[in-house]
Amino acid sequence: MSPKPTLRLILGDQLNAQHRWFTEVDAATIYVLMEVRQETDYVLHHAQKILAIFAAMRDLARQLRQLGHSVHYIAIDEVASTRTMPENIEALIRHYDACAFEYQAPDEWRLDQQLYQAGRRSTIPWLMVDSEHFYTARHEAADIFAGRKQWLMEFFYRQMRSTQQVLMEDAKKPVGGQWNFDHDNRKPWRGTPAEPQDSRTLHDHGQLWQSIVAAGVKSFGAPHADRLAWALNRDEALQQLDAFIERALPHFGDFQDAMSSKAWRLFHSLLSFALNVKMLNPREVVARAQAAYHAGHAPLAAVEGFIRQILGWREYVRGVYWAHMPGYAEKNFFGHARPLPSWFWDGKTKMHCLSQAITQSLEQAHAHHIQRLMVIGNFALLAGLDPARVHGWYLGIYIDAFEWVELPNTVGMSQFADGGLLATKPYVSSAAYIDRMGDYCKGCHYDKKARVGERACPFNALYWDFFHRNADTLERNPRIGMAYRQLEKMDAATIAAFRQQAATMLTRLDSL
């Protein structure tokens, strides 16, 4: 008599082909992957995000079957795709007469709770195992920051560098004598060196896209189903990592904050999707970057800046997320409530910087951190957009956006909606910063230097109005004292003029 099988669930962001689960083939183990509407519909997603995750899930299922593993795959065009994950799991337990169910720890709180509660109701044992991906455990950051009012990333990052012995000369001293080379990594890009060729593999998944549409799944953004460029398996992700280390990392540091209408990728790795669905392990990415420095292939400032994003920021925001869920998504320090302007969905605004950043996001499902923070997020905060709606938009539009990483970045870093737990100040600017870091202001309908008037750049009046109306809560912040010293030097007529300008623009955001 054959033993009763064990079912093992693989989520769409758990595509780690190197997980210990797969080291041995066991006829009594059945792997379950599901394309389900609960995951496509909880927020409006970019078309490429849905398509790439499903295509990558199918690729992993193919690999597992080739290795001899048993796989039960629920496709988007099956009736089961309309049921919740727990409903499908219970149906499969009955179908296979399973004796146990196992799953890897979800990275999103809603799924963690859903599966935990389903396990409590089940008639067979449920076991949650580690995803074997992150450097830190869920609540490790909370332990590091115990007793601290503010969770400074730099403090966490130094702890991680020391613990993991990354870019260290000895147990306590950083390579180069300093921890952070951020001040070296703020150069605008003027066309040289040239942007590396995009060598990512193109995939034709038109048939899968037709199935997704036929199933009634709603999305936005360009699907590019016949030339999908995102890595869909570990081999492709490793090739992308190789190309980044060889061609882009040497210049990444200099231009990591730069913005250009002529080159949307510049020297960014575009590895965040492969990392966040776990095709790549962060340790191997960090190791490759560190090796490039030691081999003299890339300068320390570039390597440190890249490693900080992974070993520091990525682990840090995950710790913030797990320490403050549930409820973090409802944070709204300033009480902002305006809906998103219509051009968030089509990029059709006369503000060239926002048109560029949003159109790129709609076309590529990707924008780098300065476009997300200092263009789109900057405007959202200055204009008083509802942070929960901003969060939903970011979560949907970016291919690498999963709630554990996107929510703290949006609510905490971008919108300051947590009141300063994560960020030391609101990250806002006038047009001057955007102009300094790129070419978006060239040819814009608006005048980057004007505060008032029909052609005045909206960022300018909104910037000063933001600080003026929030003086009671912000003027004692030492990191933004300069703004208030400048406000003190303005006469009443100047203040009244930019406040009126801001008020007028806020009544017609859709037409800006």
Side-chain angles (χ1 to χ4, degrees):
M1 184 176 178
S2 300
K4 291 185 177 183
T6 294
L7 302 184
R8 286 177 171 174
L9 176 67
I10 302 172
L11 297 174
D13 63 347
Q14 296 177 340
L15 309 181
N16 175 13
Q18 294 191 310
H19 195 278
R20 63 177 174 81
W21 268 358
F22 311 129
T23 55
E24 294 182 2
V25 175
D26 182 355
T29 298
I30 301 170
Y31 292 98
V32 177
L33 294 92
M34 306 183 200
E35 298 171 1
V36 285
R37 294 294 297 274
Q38 79 159 51
E39 294 305 290
T40 61
D41 296 3
Y42 72 93
V43 70
L44 187 65
H45 290 288
H46 196 291
Q48 288 179 47
K49 185 178 183 182
I50 299 168
L51 185 58
I53 291 174
F54 283 4
M57 289 169 63
R58 293 183 179 203
D59 197 285
L60 180 62
R62 174 191 59 79
Q63 293 177 58
L64 294 178
R65 288 185 177 117
Q66 286 181 345
L67 292 171
H69 296 286
S70 297
V71 177
H72 186 108
Y73 198 97
I74 295 175
I76 193 63
D77 53 5
E78 297 179 33
V79 172
S81 70
T82 63
R83 304 188 189 112
T84 66
M85 281 190 180
E87 287 170 343
N88 281 330
I89 291 166
E90 285 302 319
L92 291 172
I93 288 172
R94 293 191 299 270
H95 175 76
Y96 288 107
D97 192 21
C99 66
F101 178 79
E102 297 179 0
Y103 63 103
Q104 297 175 33
D107 291 316
E108 296 197 348
W109 187 86
R110 63 182 178 84
L111 281 175
D112 185 69
Q113 288 298 300
Q114 185 186 46
L115 293 176
Y116 170 72
Q117 295 298 337
R120 294 185 63 187
R121 297 189 300 267
S122 184
T123 57
I124 65 171
W126 283 43
L127 175 66
M128 185 176 78
V129 303
D130 189 70
S131 65
E132 301 176 5
H133 178 79
F134 293 97
Y135 283 95
T136 53
R138 282 179 177 176
H139 301 290
E140 198 166 330
D143 294 337
I144 291 174
F145 287 111
R148 292 174 176 264
K149 291 182 179 180
Q150 195 168 51
W151 288 32
L152 296 179
M153 197 282 286
E154 186 67 21
F155 177 80
F156 176 85
Y157 173 55
R158 295 183 185 189
Q159 294 279 324
M160 293 296 294
R161 285 269 299 274
S162 298
T163 301
Q164 300 297 326
Q165 285 297 287
V166 172
L167 290 179
M168 301 294 289
E169 290 183 357
D170 54 42
K172 296 182 179 180
K173 185 178 179 182
V175 168
Q178 62 189 67
W179 295 96
N180 188 315
F181 291 84
D182 199 37
H183 66 276
D184 295 331
N185 295 339
R186 294 172 178 167
K187 298 181 179 67
W189 182 72
R190 306 302 186 196
T192 55
E195 179 188 51
Q197 180 182 356
D198 189 352
S199 59
R200 292 177 296 164
T201 301
L202 298 182
H203 310 87
D204 187 346
H205 281 291
Q207 187 172 354
L208 173 56
W209 178 243
Q210 289 175 12
S211 297
I212 292 169
V213 173
V217 176
K218 304 300 181 185
S219 65
F220 70 120
H224 296 315
D226 60 341
R227 48 191 171 92
L228 189 68
W230 299 100
L232 301 183
N233 55 52
R234 176 170 169 77
D235 287 345
E236 291 178 1
L238 287 171
Q239 291 169 11
Q240 191 176 328
L241 173 60
D242 288 342
F244 168 70
I245 296 293
E246 178 63 28
R247 303 170 194 168
L249 180 60
H251 306 295
F252 169 78
D254 285 344
F255 306 111
Q256 68 174 350
D257 287 2
M259 298 178 288
S260 173
S261 59
K262 300 179 178 66
W264 73 270
R265 291 176 294 106
L266 284 175
F267 304 95
H268 292 274
S269 73
L270 307 188
L271 289 170
S272 52
F273 173 69
L275 273 167
N276 290 356
V277 298
K278 303 178 182 60
M279 294 174 194
L280 293 178
N281 189 289
R283 293 168 184 80
E284 65 188 328
V285 178
V286 167
R288 288 293 305 280
Q290 184 171 226
Y293 164 69
H294 288 304
H297 177 68
L300 179 57
V303 172
E304 186 278 319
F306 179 69
I307 286 176
R308 180 162 16 105
Q309 291 186 351
I310 299 172
L311 180 64
W313 192 256
R314 188 170 182 266
E315 298 284 328
Y316 165 72
V317 295
R318 178 171 175 262
V320 170
Y321 176 80
W322 282 106
H324 295 93
M325 288 297 286
Y328 196 73
E330 284 72 53
K331 299 290 185 183
N332 193 348
F333 179 71
F334 294 113
H336 288 166
R338 288 189 178 89
L340 306 188
S342 59
W343 40 261
F344 264 64
W345 307 101
D346 59 21
K348 294 180 180 179
T349 168
K350 294 189 291 290
M351 290 176 282
H352 193 228
C353 60
L354 279 156
S355 177
Q356 284 284 320
I358 291 174
T359 300
Q360 175 189 310
S361 301
L362 292 167
E363 278 292 309
Q364 309 295 345
H366 188 276
H368 70 67
H369 62 287
I370 296 300
Q371 294 168 310
R372 299 188 200 195
L373 176 67
M374 296 307 300
V375 178
I376 302 170
N378 184 6
F379 181 86
L381 181 53
L382 293 178
L385 305 187
D386 181 346
R389 298 190 193 196
V390 177
H391 154 55
W393 184 86
Y394 275 94
L395 182 59
I397 197 168
Y398 293 117
I399 195 159
D400 55 10
F402 297 89
E403 193 178 72
W404 66 269
V405 64
E406 176 277 326
L407 180 59
N409 269 298
T410 301
V411 169
M413 185 69 172
S414 173
Q415 299 305 294
F416 204 74
D418 65 4
L421 170 78
L422 188 152
T424 56
K425 65 174 183 177
Y427 278 84
V428 293
S429 77
S430 64
Y433 173 84
I434 296 171
D435 183 48
R436 185 166 66 249
M437 295 312 302
D439 62 2
Y440 288 165
C441 292
K442 293 179 181 177
C444 184
H445 170 82
Y446 295 104
D447 182 350
K448 64 188 178 186
K449 294 183 179 179
R451 287 182 188 166
V452 297
E454 194 278 327
R455 300 294 289 271
C457 176
F459 276 94
N460 293 334
L462 291 176
Y463 175 80
W464 291 111
D465 182 66
F466 171 81
F467 282 116
H468 187 275
R469 71 176 185 266
N470 291 302
D472 289 346
T473 55
L474 296 179
E475 65 181 346
R476 288 182 295 277
N477 186 317
R479 292 205 64 197
I480 50 178
M482 181 65 73
Y484 285 102
R485 285 195 291 272
Q486 288 182 266
L487 270 173
E488 289 170 0
K489 296 176 183 178
M490 296 180 190
D491 58 37
T494 299
I495 293 174
F498 73 64
R499 295 210 71 193
Q500 180 58 51
Q501 176 83 9
T504 300
M505 289 187 296
L506 290 174
T507 64
R508 55 179 186 88
L509 290 180
D510 283 343
S511 64
L512 290 181

